[in-house]
Amino acid sequence: MYFGKRRNWSIPYVLFLVFFVLVPLALIVLFAFTSEAGGFSFENFRKFLMHPEAMNILIYSIGVALITTILCLLIGYPAAYILSRMETSRARLLVMLFILPMWINFLIRTLATVALFDFLKLPLGEGALLFGMVYNFLPFMIYPIYNILLKTDQNLIEAAEDLGANPRQVFFRTILPLSYPGITSGIMMVFMPVISTFAIAELLTINNIKLFGTTLQENIYNGMWNYGAALSLLMLLLIGIISLLNTQGSARAAEEGGLI
Amino acid sequence: MQQKPDTSIITVQHLSHAFGGKTVLKDINLSIGKGEFVTILGPSGCGKTTLMRLIGGFLKAMEGKITIAGKDMTNTPPHLRPVNTVFQRYALFPHLNVFGNIAFGLNLKKLTQEEIKKRVMHVLKIVTMTDYEERDVDTLSGGQQQRVAIARAIVNEPEVLLLDEPLAALDLKMRKDMQMEIKAMHKKLGISFVYVTHDQEEALTLSDRIVVMREGEIQQIGTPAQIYNEPENSFVADFIGESNILNGIMIKDRFVEFAGHQFECVDKGFGLHEPVDVVIRPEDIYIFEKLEAAQFTGKVTSSIFKGVHYEMMVTTPEGFEFMIQDYNSFDVGQTVGMLVKPFDIQVMKKERLCNTFEGTVIDKSHIRFLGNNFKCDEAQRYESGASVKVSVDFRNVILHDNEEDGMLSGSVSFILYKGDHYHLTVLTEGDEHIFADTNDIWDDGDRVGISISPDTIQVAND
C-alpha cells in the first residue's frame, strides 16, 4: 500500500514520546543520582534530608494543596450538583462561564487577581494565595463532578425513593456514592498541579511564600541541576504514589465519563 | 367486577394527567383488591406507565384521587407510600453488591444487622439467588438482576408491588420462565401485584384481572377469560389475540347478519337493524370439506403451519376474508365450508357510526371544523356564525399519500381490518381523531393528507 503499514503511522508519536518524555525522565534520574563533581552518589538526597527548609516547604506545599483541594470540593460539589439539576441549556451556559477564564493564560489571570486585591486594598499573602489557587483550579473540580452527576441514572434516584429514602437519604446513600468517581477525578486534577505550582505563589505573595514548585524552579534556574533533578524525582514519586492510590477510582471515572 | 371498598388496597378515582398540555390519562377509575394480580395492558403510549408512576408517587396527580390502604395518598411522596416498585431496567445500585441492594430499604428502617441479614437471606431464597449476596450487580445476567430487583422490593414487605414491564429486557425463553416464577411468588407472598405490560399473552397468563388501556382511557376491565371471550369493543378484540372483526347488523334479538349471511347468536338487547361490530376468534370457525353442512363457503387463499395448528385465510364469494385456525390443513385454492356456533359470535355495540364534529358556519359555502374551513354544499341552508353538528361517513374521508394534497394532515394511529376493508383511526395535527374506511393499505404511523368532498359533509342543527 502507498502509505505503508498502518502501524508505521504511529512512528512520529513514538519518537515524540521518546524524545520529550522518556529521555528527559532518564536524564532527571541520571542527574538526581549524580554529584556536582560527577559520578554516582546519593548526595542530592542527603542534602534534601539535611536541609529542614526544603523539607518544610514540601510539607507546607502539601498542606496548601490539601486545603485548596478541600475548598474546591466544598465549593465545587454544590455548584456541580445545582448545575446538574438545571435545565440543560441553562446549565451548559453556566458551565461555559465557569470554564471561560480557563481560555486565558493563568499567569494573566493571576496578575489580574493581584490587581483586584490591590484595588480592594486587600493584603497579598497566604489568604490571597489560597484564593488564587481555588480560583484557578475550581473548574477542574466542578467539571468532572458535574459530568458524572449529569449521567446519574434518574431511575436509581427513584429506586431509592421507592425503597423509603427521604431526600437527604437519597443524596447521601445514592447520589453522593454514585458521584465518587467524579470526586476522585476532581481531586486528582486539583491536588497534583497545586503542589508544583510556583507562579501563583510568587505573584500572590510577592515571593514571600515558597511552595515546593518555587524551590524546584529556583534551583534549576540557578544551575543546581543535580539537586533540582533530585527534587523533581521526589515530586514525581509523590504524584506517582497518589495516582496509584487513585487508579481504581480514576479507572471507574474514565469508564463513566470523568476527566482523568 | 368492581371490588368492594373494604377489600381494595388501591383505589384510583377520576385520575387525569397531562404532559405539556397533552392529555395522557383521562378520568381513570380503578380499584385493586388485596392480594389481587392486576395487569395494566396497552400499546406503547397508552398511559399505562404514567398510571403506574402516579400510583408509585413518582408523578404528582393533576386531577383525581389515589387511595392506598385506606389513606388518601394523592400527594404523598414515594418514600412514604406502602408500595415498592420493580423498575423496567431494574435500576440496581451499581455501588452496592447484591446484599447491599436488597438491604437498602431495611437499612433505612434502622433494623438490627441480624434482622436485616435474616430477611435478606430469606428473600434471596424466594428468588432462588442464595449464595449470590456478595456478588457485584454488574456481574449478574439480566434474569439474575431481575430477581435481585424483585427481592429488593419484596424484602420491604409492601402492601402492593408495582412491576413496570419487568420482563421486557429478557429473551423469550427466560421471559416464560420468569412469568411462572412471578406467578408463583405472587401466590406465596399474598400481596397485590400491579403489573404493567404491552404483551397481551403475558397479561392473559399472569393476571387475575386485566385493565386494557388505549390513549389514556380504560377500554375494559375484566378477567383474562372475559377480556378474551367478551371484548367490549373492537380495539380490545383486536389487541388481545387474533380475531376476525366485521361490520354486522342486528336483525333482531339473537340474530345477526354479517359477511352477507345471517347467523344465530346469543346477544340481545340491541335495536332493530342496529349496526354492530362482530368478533369471531380464528379458532372458533369450523372448517371442513362438506359444503352442504356449511353456513357459508369460501376459497382458501393461504395456509401457514404454526406448530400446533394451521393458520388459513379464506375468502368468501361475497369478498370477505376470514382468518381460521385449525389442526387440519386445507389446500390453497380449495373450496371449503365454514360454520360458527352461536356462542362463539361476540356482538359489540359500535362506538360510532360516522365522524361527528362541532362546527361553525362561516358563509354560504364554508363550514369550520377540525380547525379548518371546509367547502360544504349544505352550508347554504344555515346562517353564518351558526353552531352546527357536522357528520361525515367513514367512507367519505379521503386519505392522500402526500400530506400537501389534503386540507389537513395527520398520522395513522390505529388500523382495524374488517374482513373486506380497513377501518383507520387518524390523529390530526390538532390532536383530534378522524375515522376513515378504505381499501388501501396503510401502516401504523403513516403521515397522510385528509380531505372531504363538499357534497359528502352532512350538517344538522346543534
Side-chain angles (χ1 to χ4, degrees):
Chain A
M1 223 205 288
Y2 182 75
F3 285 103
K5 284 186 180 154
R6 188 170 282 202
R7 63 144 63 117
N8 291 344
W9 297 3
S10 63
I11 286 175
Y13 304 101
V14 171
L15 287 178
F16 176 88
L17 285 175
V18 168
F19 283 108
F20 293 97
V21 181
L22 289 180
V23 171
L25 212 59
L27 284 176
I28 287 177
V29 176
L30 186 71
F31 273 82
F33 289 101
T34 312
S35 65
E36 291 289 323
F40 178 83
S41 88
F42 286 106
E43 195 196 311
N44 300 313
F45 295 95
R46 199 176 304 129
K47 189 173 162 191
F48 172 73
L49 291 173
M50 302 300 287
H51 257 281
E53 197 203 349
M55 192 66 124
N56 282 344
I57 289 176
L58 178 62
I59 291 165
Y60 184 81
S61 301
I62 292 173
V64 168
L66 264 177
I67 293 171
T68 305
T69 309
I70 290 168
L71 284 175
C72 281
L73 187 60
L74 287 179
I75 301 167
Y77 197 97
Y81 183 75
I82 292 165
L83 285 170
S84 73
R85 304 273 105 176
M86 266 184 197
E87 190 200 327
T88 344
S89 57
R90 261 181 73 197
R92 256 195 220 135
L93 181 75
L94 282 171
V95 169
M96 256 270 289
L97 287 177
F98 270 110
I99 291 174
L100 199 66
M102 297 288 111
W103 296 350
I104 299 161
N105 182 285
F106 81 104
L107 280 176
I108 299 172
R109 242 181 302 143
T110 306
L111 282 171
T113 314
V114 173
L116 184 73
F117 269 67
D118 270 351
F119 177 75
L120 295 172
K121 307 242 176 322
L122 289 166
L124 293 175
E126 215 161 37
L129 172 66
L130 282 176
F131 177 87
M133 290 290 195
V134 171
Y135 170 58
N136 267 296
F137 289 99
L138 187 59
F140 293 106
M141 184 63 88
I142 292 180
Y143 198 68
I145 297 176
Y146 166 73
N147 245 348
I148 222 137
L149 284 175
L150 208 61
K151 290 194 179 114
T152 306
D153 186 356
Q154 193 59 31
N155 272 327
L156 295 177
I157 293 166
E158 282 184 1
E161 287 173 341
D162 183 72
L163 293 167
N166 62 33
R168 236 196 68 198
Q169 289 165 326
V170 170
F171 179 78
F172 284 106
R173 286 171 189 257
T174 316
I175 298 172
L176 187 64
L178 285 173
S179 60
Y180 281 159
I183 295 176
T184 27
S185 181
I187 290 175
M188 300 279 283
M189 306 260 324
V190 174
F191 185 78
M192 302 208 299
V194 168
I195 295 184
S196 56
T197 304
F198 61 91
I200 296 174
E202 235 176 74
L203 291 169
L204 281 171
T205 66
I206 335 172
N207 228 349
N208 276 332
I209 294 175
K210 283 184 181 171
L211 292 186
F212 197 62
T214 325
T215 319
L216 238 169
Q217 183 249 356
E218 277 175 1
N219 277 301
I220 290 177
Y221 195 70
N222 294 329
M224 316 271 282
W225 290 91
N226 303 84
Y227 187 50
L231 294 181
S232 299
L233 199 60
L234 281 172
M235 203 176 71
L236 270 174
L237 274 172
L238 183 71
I239 290 173
I241 290 165
I242 295 168
S243 320
L244 273 179
L245 289 177
N246 245 313
T247 338
Q248 216 192 339
S250 39
R252 253 186 92 182
E255 218 169 83
E256 288 167 33
L259 262 182
I260 276 195
Chain B
M1 272 315 284
Q2 203 69 14
Q3 295 280 316
K4 287 191 197 103
D6 55 315
T7 62
S8 65
I9 187 81
I10 295 181
T11 348
V12 172
Q13 288 162 293
H14 304 295
L15 195 66
S16 295
H17 201 78
F19 290 127
K22 192 169 163 34
T23 309
V24 287
L25 282 183
K26 280 174 229 161
D27 194 32
I28 299 289
N29 289 287
L30 176 66
S31 130
I32 292 161
K34 265 197 184 118
E36 202 182 10
F37 196 129
V38 173
T39 299
I40 303 171
L41 174 68
S44 58
C46 73
K48 55 188 190 296
T49 297
T50 308
L51 177 56
M52 198 218 71
R53 288 172 63 75
L54 282 163
I55 295 173
F58 305 113
L59 286 174
K60 271 230 162 73
M62 289 179 161
E63 247 176 78
K65 192 174 155 190
I66 300 169
T67 315
I68 304 173
K71 285 188 207 101
D72 181 356
M73 296 219 168
T74 316
N75 295 314
T76 309
H79 69 275
L80 299 176
R81 296 191 187 204
V83 164
N84 284 115
T85 309
V86 176
F87 292 86
Q88 193 171 11
R89 300 253 158 234
Y90 320 137
L92 298 178
F93 302 116
H95 61 291
L96 300 171
N97 62 13
V98 170
F99 186 96
N101 264 280
I102 299 174
F104 192 94
L106 301 177
N107 277 323
L108 294 169
K109 288 192 188 114
K110 307 259 177 283
L111 298 177
T112 62
Q113 284 310 307
E114 267 166 74
E115 174 73 12
I116 290 175
K117 194 165 161 68
K118 209 178 95 197
R119 282 170 69 170
V120 171
M121 291 306 159
H122 177 66
V123 291
L124 276 172
K125 212 165 150 190
I126 293 180
V127 298
T128 63
M129 288 279 288
T130 326
D131 297 337
Y132 279 89
E133 66 267 23
E134 297 299 329
R135 287 278 290 272
D136 233 328
V137 290
D138 299 339
T139 65
L140 301 177
S141 71
Q144 290 169 333
Q145 292 194 24
Q146 181 60 75
R147 284 164 218 260
V148 175
I150 293 173
R152 183 178 69 175
I154 61 178
V155 77
N156 301 293
E157 295 171 358
E159 308 250 18
V160 180
L161 186 66
L162 305 177
L163 300 106
D164 184 10
E165 307 228 13
L167 308 183
L170 301 180
D171 61 54
L172 185 67
K173 179 84 177 62
M174 192 74 198
R175 203 152 64 219
K176 298 266 185 215
D177 293 347
M178 280 304 288
Q179 279 177 14
M180 289 304 114
E181 280 186 46
I182 286 175
K183 204 169 164 107
M185 248 180 256
H186 171 251
K187 213 166 188 178
K188 198 163 175 181
L189 295 168
I191 59 173
S192 307
F193 276 33
V194 178
Y195 193 98
V196 170
T197 184
H198 65 271
D199 183 338
Q200 45 101 8
E201 187 257 319
E202 203 165 283
L204 292 172
T205 313
L206 292 172
S207 326
D208 293 329
R209 273 198 308 159
I210 299 174
V211 179
V212 185
M213 287 185 66
R214 177 199 184 190
E215 290 180 359
E217 285 177 292
I218 292 179
Q219 302 291 310
Q220 187 172 0
I221 304 179
T223 64
Q226 282 172 335
I227 299 270
Y228 189 82
N229 293 326
E230 297 152 41
E232 258 168 43
N233 58 39
S234 49
F235 171 79
V236 177
D238 181 67
F239 191 68
I240 312 282
E242 304 280 0
S243 45
N244 296 290
I245 303 171
L246 298 132
N247 287 332
I249 289 169
M250 211 62 193
I251 305 294
K252 57 182 187 197
D253 278 357
R254 302 174 204 279
F255 224 66
V256 63
E257 182 186 307
F258 60 87
H261 294 269
Q262 295 191 350
F263 296 83
E264 216 181 304
C265 65
V266 293
D267 299 87
K268 53 181 183 173
F270 292 88
L272 276 187
H273 293 276
E274 183 176 336
V276 289
D277 279 327
V278 175
V279 177
I280 306 166
R281 296 290 178 187
E283 69 272 19
D284 289 337
I285 302 178
Y286 294 85
I287 176 169
F288 39 79
E289 281 175 19
K290 276 194 187 136
L291 302 182
E292 53 272 24
Q295 285 172 314
F296 59 114
T297 60
K299 205 173 239 167
V300 178
T301 54
S302 81
S303 174
I304 300 165
F305 182 54
K306 287 276 187 171
V308 180
H309 59 257
Y310 290 87
E311 188 172 283
M312 287 160 283
M313 299 304 294
V314 177
T315 310
T316 70
E318 295 83 10
F320 290 91
E321 208 176 14
F322 286 88
M323 179 196 276
I324 300 173
Q325 292 169 354
D326 201 280
Y327 299 121
N328 301 307
S329 169
F330 293 83
D331 294 331
V332 173
Q334 191 178 355
T335 302
V336 290
M338 288 167 286
L339 187 142
V340 191
K341 300 226 163 114
F343 51 81
D344 285 332
I345 296 172
Q346 164 74 5
V347 178
M348 304 177 304
K349 214 175 162 54
K350 273 192 179 292
E351 284 166 276
R352 64 190 67 76
L353 299 173
C354 63
N355 291 292
T356 50
F357 309 102
E358 302 286 326
T360 317
V361 181
I362 299 293
D363 55 37
K364 288 287 163 213
S365 57
H366 287 88
I367 286 189
R368 185 173 181 79
F369 59 94
L370 283 174
N372 270 66
N373 292 342
F374 286 87
K375 238 182 161 84
C376 167
D377 295 352
E378 283 189 28
Q380 53 186 321
R381 295 195 281 119
Y382 297 86
E383 299 267 324
S384 291
S387 291
V388 289
K389 230 180 190 74
V390 179
S391 52
V392 181
D393 261 1
F394 300 139
R395 274 278 161 207
N396 293 329
V397 175
I398 304 156
L399 303 178
H400 306 273
D401 269 320
N402 270 333
E403 284 178 61
E404 294 78 31
D405 293 346
M407 293 153 104
L408 65 161
S409 62
S411 61
V412 177
S413 72
F414 180 55
I415 303 168
L416 199 62
Y417 184 52
K418 286 287 190 81
D420 65 339
H421 69 274
Y422 295 92
H423 184 67
L424 264 54
T425 308
V426 180
L427 191 64
T428 66
E429 301 277 86
D431 243 357
E432 294 207 59
H433 289 130
I434 185 159
F435 304 90
D437 281 351
T438 171
N439 292 330
D440 301 331
I441 295 173
W442 298 90
D443 273 325
D444 239 352
D446 275 352
R447 307 283 310 167
V448 292
I450 304 160
S451 62
I452 305 167
S453 162
D455 57 328
T456 58
I457 298 176
Q458 285 159 343
V459 186
N461 275 313
D462 202 6

